[in-house]
Amino acid sequence: MANQTPKPDDRSDNVEKLQSMIHHTIENMEDAEAAMVNSSPEDQQRIKDKNERRRESIDAFRSEIKDEAHRQQ
């Protein structure tokens, strides 16, 4: 096997990536809420449940952004 070395850990753009993920997650939530108008009650509940998980993900992303900001200082 060839000598394989791992790539160095580059965290320089993590905050930007996390902010982008937050933005896309919010867009997905808005799209899902718009789709609820024409959805069955079961689908509406699934959308509500998924959007709740998305909110939890957004909170986790924001927490990671704070951690990254402290690491960069």
Side-chain angles (χ1 to χ4, degrees), residues 34-58:
M36 282 178 49
V37 174
N38 299 320
S39 300
S40 69
E42 296 85 12
D43 286 340
Q44 288 178 0
Q45 187 58 48
R46 283 190 207 106
I47 291 169
K48 288 177 186 178
D49 292 344
K50 188 160 190 171
N51 277 353
E52 182 57 34
R53 291 189 300 274
R54 286 175 170 143
R55 284 184 195 87
E56 292 169 4
S57 294
I58 289 171

Side-chain angles (χ1 to χ4, degrees), residues 8-68:
D9 188 14
D10 180 13
R11 296 175 173 255
S12 62
D13 62 348
N14 277 7
V15 171
E16 291 82 12
K17 288 179 182 177
L18 290 164
Q19 289 172 333
S20 176
M21 288 190 287
I22 288 172
H23 176 75
H24 291 297
T25 302
I26 290 171
E27 284 181 345
N28 289 340
M29 288 174 63
E30 291 170 349
D31 291 345
E33 288 173 1
M36 282 178 49
V37 174
N38 299 320
S39 300
S40 69
E42 296 85 12
D43 286 340
Q44 288 178 0
Q45 187 58 48
R46 283 190 207 106
I47 291 169
K48 288 177 186 178
D49 292 344
K50 188 160 190 171
N51 277 353
E52 182 57 34
R53 291 189 300 274
R54 286 175 170 143
R55 284 184 195 87
E56 292 169 4
S57 294
I58 289 171
D59 290 342
F61 292 149
R62 288 182 175 146
S63 178
E64 284 187 57
I65 287 173
K66 288 177 187 176
D67 291 344
E68 285 296 323

